[in-house]
Amino acid sequence: MSHTLTDTYGRRITYLRLSVTDRCDLRCFYCLPQGFTDFEVPEHWLDFDEIERVVAAFADMGVQRLRLTGGEPLVRRGLPDLAAQLSSIPGIDDLSLSTNAVQLAKQAQALKQAGVSRLNVSLDSIQADRFKQITGGPLDKVLRGLATAQQAGFHPIKLNMVVMKGVNDDEVEAMVQFCIEHGYTLRFIETMPMGDTGRDAADHYLDLREVRARLEQRFELVDAVMPGGGPAKYVQVAGTDLKLGFITPISQHFCDTCNRVRLGVDGTLYLCLGQDHSVELRPHLRQGISHDGLVNLLTEAIARKPHKHEFREKPTQVVRFMSQTGG
């Protein structure tokens, strides 16, 4: 490691979330609007070798954790091949994947063999009709994907539930029981005002402190930790193996300890989920920038990372959808 990535606020950047596509085979109403087609053109996608170059530069500066995201990463053709390329980069100690699991049954074994070690799966409901209302997709394929991933040896498998008032908040306890029975980790997430869809979902915002208080009336919760580079705060349900995570970007933001940046499928490096600070890497890559030049470019980019998002103060500020940012 020849450099370290530290921003102007003293935060060391060790985690890259890498979007391999902005497309998705679901349409969660808080993420992508029905009928949306304004996706990035394939000619602007970073190819696998370009992605590998960027990740190698980040790894050279101390980034150890890499997460493949989207959109839905499993719709990117050849994803296991890319995972194998990236898992072999010196310095990348943890390669994980975020997915909706619709296509996971077909790819779980190949991804495991390619070096993906952990999975995060979006699952906002375990009621088939409600799942379809939220996502437009089939719950049975997701459950089949989860079971196949367990058989392939993935552990832990973390389920991400965006808890929304009046939509699925009545399923919180049922989701806890589901995860106890099946051996999954469960993480609750607050809605965020990303794009028009995210702002429309703001009417369903629920402070997760209320969810935790509800759960404490039914379960004994003790502090716990989990592997991973993300912001979740974990507890364990006493008497079980279940760990619960709470991701609270609105009620209790975690900007002071932010250790991550996001790379869009088009090579845009987003320095904050809730701000517009970004740097375009694709033009430099296609003009033949050297490895040292790329390292210098990333160092300069990290110096522009803002101190915090402003979801509460400026909820209309970010107009891009979550799928464009990279999860």
Coordinates of all heavy atoms in Angstrom, one line a residue, residues 177-209:
Q177 N -39.1 -13.1 13.4 CA -39.3 -14.5 13.6 C -38.8 -15.3 12.4 O -38.2 -16.4 12.5 CB -40.8 -14.8 13.8 CG -41.3 -14.3 15.2 CD -40.7 -15.1 16.4 OE1 -40.1 -16.1 16.2 NE2 -40.9 -14.6 17.6
F178 N -39.1 -14.8 11.2 CA -38.6 -15.4 9.9 C -37.1 -15.6 9.9 O -36.6 -16.7 9.5 CB -39.1 -14.5 8.8 CG -38.6 -15.0 7.4 CD1 -39.3 -16.1 6.7 CD2 -37.5 -14.4 6.8 CE1 -38.8 -16.5 5.5 CE2 -37.1 -14.8 5.6 CZ -37.7 -15.9 4.9
C179 N -36.4 -14.6 10.4 CA -34.9 -14.6 10.3 C -34.4 -15.6 11.4 O -33.4 -16.2 11.2 CB -34.4 -13.2 10.5 SG -34.6 -12.2 9.0
I180 N -35.1 -15.6 12.6 CA -34.7 -16.6 13.6 C -34.8 -18.0 13.0 O -33.9 -18.8 13.2 CB -35.6 -16.4 14.9 CG1 -35.2 -15.1 15.6 CG2 -35.4 -17.6 15.8 CD1 -36.1 -14.8 16.7
E181 N -35.9 -18.3 12.4 CA -36.2 -19.6 11.9 C -35.2 -20.0 10.7 O -34.9 -21.2 10.6 CB -37.6 -19.7 11.3 CG -38.7 -19.6 12.4 CD -40.1 -19.4 11.9 OE1 -40.3 -19.5 10.6 OE2 -41.0 -19.0 12.7
H182 N -34.8 -19.1 9.9 CA -34.0 -19.4 8.7 C -32.5 -19.1 8.9 O -31.8 -19.4 7.9 CB -34.6 -18.7 7.5 CG -36.0 -19.2 7.1 ND1 -36.2 -20.3 6.3 CD2 -37.2 -18.7 7.5 CE1 -37.4 -20.5 6.2 NE2 -38.1 -19.6 6.8
G183 N -32.1 -18.4 10.0 CA -30.7 -18.2 10.2 C -30.2 -17.0 9.4 O -29.0 -17.0 9.1
Y184 N -31.0 -16.0 9.1 CA -30.5 -14.8 8.5 C -30.3 -13.7 9.5 O -30.9 -13.7 10.6 CB -31.5 -14.3 7.5 CG -31.9 -15.3 6.4 CD1 -33.3 -15.6 6.2 CD2 -31.0 -15.9 5.7 CE1 -33.7 -16.5 5.2 CE2 -31.3 -16.9 4.7 CZ -32.7 -17.2 4.5 OH -33.0 -18.1 3.5
T185 N -29.4 -12.7 9.2 CA -29.3 -11.5 9.9 C -30.4 -10.5 9.3 O -30.7 -10.6 8.1 CB -27.9 -10.9 9.7 OG1 -27.0 -11.8 10.3 CG2 -27.8 -9.6 10.4
L186 N -30.9 -9.7 10.2 CA -31.9 -8.7 9.7 C -31.5 -7.3 10.0 O -31.1 -7.0 11.1 CB -33.3 -9.0 10.4 CG -34.4 -8.1 10.1 CD1 -34.8 -8.1 8.6 CD2 -35.7 -8.5 10.9
R187 N -31.6 -6.5 9.0 CA -31.3 -5.0 9.2 C -32.4 -4.2 8.7 O -33.0 -4.4 7.7 CB -30.0 -4.7 8.3 CG -28.9 -5.7 8.6 CD -27.6 -5.2 8.1 NE -27.6 -4.6 6.8 CZ -26.6 -4.0 6.2 NH1 -25.5 -3.8 6.9 NH2 -26.6 -3.6 5.0
F188 N -32.8 -3.2 9.6 CA -33.9 -2.3 9.3 C -33.2 -1.0 8.8 O -32.2 -0.5 9.3 CB -34.7 -2.0 10.6 CG -35.3 -3.2 11.2 CD1 -34.9 -3.7 12.4 CD2 -36.3 -3.9 10.5 CE1 -35.5 -4.8 13.0 CE2 -36.9 -5.0 11.1 CZ -36.5 -5.5 12.3
I189 N -33.9 -0.4 7.8 CA -33.3 0.8 7.2 C -34.4 1.9 7.1 O -35.6 1.6 6.8 CB -32.8 0.5 5.8 CG1 -31.8 -0.6 5.8 CG2 -32.2 1.8 5.1 CD1 -31.3 -1.0 4.4
E190 N -34.1 3.1 7.4 CA -35.0 4.3 7.2 C -35.1 4.7 5.8 O -34.1 4.6 5.1 CB -34.6 5.4 8.1 CG -34.6 5.2 9.6 CD -34.1 6.3 10.4 OE1 -33.4 7.2 9.9 OE2 -34.4 6.4 11.6
T191 N -36.2 5.1 5.3 CA -36.4 5.7 4.0 C -35.6 7.0 3.9 O -35.4 7.7 4.8 CB -37.8 6.0 3.6 OG1 -38.4 6.9 4.6 CG2 -38.7 4.7 3.6
M192 N -35.0 7.2 2.6 CA -34.2 8.4 2.4 C -34.8 9.1 1.2 O -35.3 8.5 0.2 CB -32.8 8.0 2.1 CG -32.1 7.5 3.3 SD -30.4 6.9 2.9 CE -30.8 5.3 2.3
P193 N -34.8 10.5 1.2 CA -35.3 11.3 0.1 C -34.4 11.3 -1.2 O -33.9 12.4 -1.5 CB -35.5 12.7 0.7 CG -34.4 12.7 1.7 CD -34.3 11.3 2.2
M194 N -34.2 10.2 -1.8 CA -33.4 10.1 -3.0 C -34.3 10.2 -4.2 O -35.0 9.2 -4.5 CB -32.6 8.8 -3.0 CG -31.5 8.7 -1.9 SD -30.1 9.8 -2.2 CE -29.4 9.0 -3.6
G195 N -34.2 11.3 -5.0 CA -35.0 11.4 -6.2 C -36.5 11.6 -5.9 O -36.9 11.6 -4.7
D196 N -37.3 11.7 -6.9 CA -38.7 12.0 -6.7 C -39.4 10.8 -6.0 O -40.3 11.0 -5.1 CB -39.4 12.2 -8.0 CG -39.0 13.5 -8.7 OD1 -38.5 14.4 -7.9 OD2 -39.2 13.7 -9.9
T197 N -39.0 9.6 -6.3 CA -39.6 8.4 -5.7 C -39.3 8.4 -4.2 O -40.1 8.0 -3.4 CB -39.1 7.1 -6.4 OG1 -37.7 7.1 -6.4 CG2 -39.7 7.0 -7.8
G198 N -38.0 8.7 -3.8 CA -37.7 8.7 -2.4 C -38.4 9.7 -1.7 O -38.8 9.5 -0.5
R199 N -38.6 10.9 -2.3 CA -39.3 12.0 -1.6 C -40.8 11.6 -1.5 O -41.4 11.9 -0.5 CB -39.1 13.3 -2.3 CG -37.8 13.9 -2.0 CD -37.6 15.3 -2.6 NE -37.4 15.2 -4.0 CZ -36.2 15.0 -4.6 NH1 -35.1 14.8 -3.8 NH2 -36.0 15.0 -5.9
D200 N -41.3 10.9 -2.5 CA -42.7 10.5 -2.4 C -42.9 9.5 -1.2 O -44.0 9.5 -0.5 CB -43.2 9.9 -3.7 CG -43.3 10.9 -4.8 OD1 -43.4 12.1 -4.5 OD2 -43.4 10.4 -6.0
A201 N -41.9 8.7 -1.0 CA -42.0 7.7 0.1 C -41.7 8.3 1.5 O -41.9 7.7 2.5 CB -40.9 6.6 -0.2
A202 N -41.4 9.6 1.5 CA -41.1 10.3 2.8 C -42.3 10.3 3.7 O -42.2 10.4 4.9 CB -40.6 11.7 2.5
D203 N -43.5 10.2 3.1 CA -44.7 10.2 3.9 C -44.8 8.9 4.7 O -45.6 8.9 5.7 CB -46.0 10.2 3.0 CG -46.1 11.6 2.3 OD1 -45.5 12.6 2.8 OD2 -46.8 11.7 1.2
H204 N -44.0 7.9 4.3 CA -44.0 6.7 5.0 C -42.8 6.5 6.0 O -42.5 5.5 6.5 CB -44.0 5.5 4.1 CG -45.2 5.5 3.1 ND1 -46.5 5.3 3.6 CD2 -45.2 5.7 1.8 CE1 -47.3 5.3 2.5 NE2 -46.6 5.6 1.4
Y205 N -42.1 7.6 6.1 CA -40.8 7.6 7.0 C -41.2 7.2 8.4 O -42.2 7.6 9.0 CB -40.2 9.0 7.0 CG -39.1 9.0 8.1 CD1 -37.8 8.4 7.9 CD2 -39.3 9.7 9.3 CE1 -36.9 8.5 8.8 CE2 -38.3 9.8 10.3 CZ -37.1 9.2 10.0 OH -36.1 9.2 11.0
L206 N -40.3 6.3 9.0 CA -40.5 5.8 10.3 C -39.2 5.9 11.0 O -38.2 5.3 10.6 CB -41.1 4.4 10.4 CG -41.4 3.8 11.8 CD1 -42.4 4.7 12.5 CD2 -41.9 2.4 11.6
D207 N -39.1 6.6 12.1 CA -37.9 6.7 12.9 C -37.6 5.3 13.5 O -38.5 4.7 14.2 CB -38.1 7.7 14.0 CG -36.8 8.0 14.9 OD1 -36.0 7.1 15.1 OD2 -36.7 9.1 15.3
L208 N -36.5 4.7 13.3 CA -36.2 3.3 13.7 C -36.1 3.2 15.2 O -36.1 2.1 15.8 CB -34.9 2.8 13.0 CG -35.1 2.4 11.6 CD1 -33.8 1.8 11.0 CD2 -36.3 1.5 11.4
R209 N -35.9 4.4 15.9 CA -35.9 4.3 17.4 C -37.3 3.8 17.9 O -37.3 3.1 18.9 CB -35.6 5.6 18.0 CG -34.1 6.0 17.8 CD -33.8 7.4 18.3 NE -34.4 8.4 17.4 CZ -34.1 9.7 17.5 NH1 -33.2 10.1 18.3 NH2 -34.7 10.6 16.6

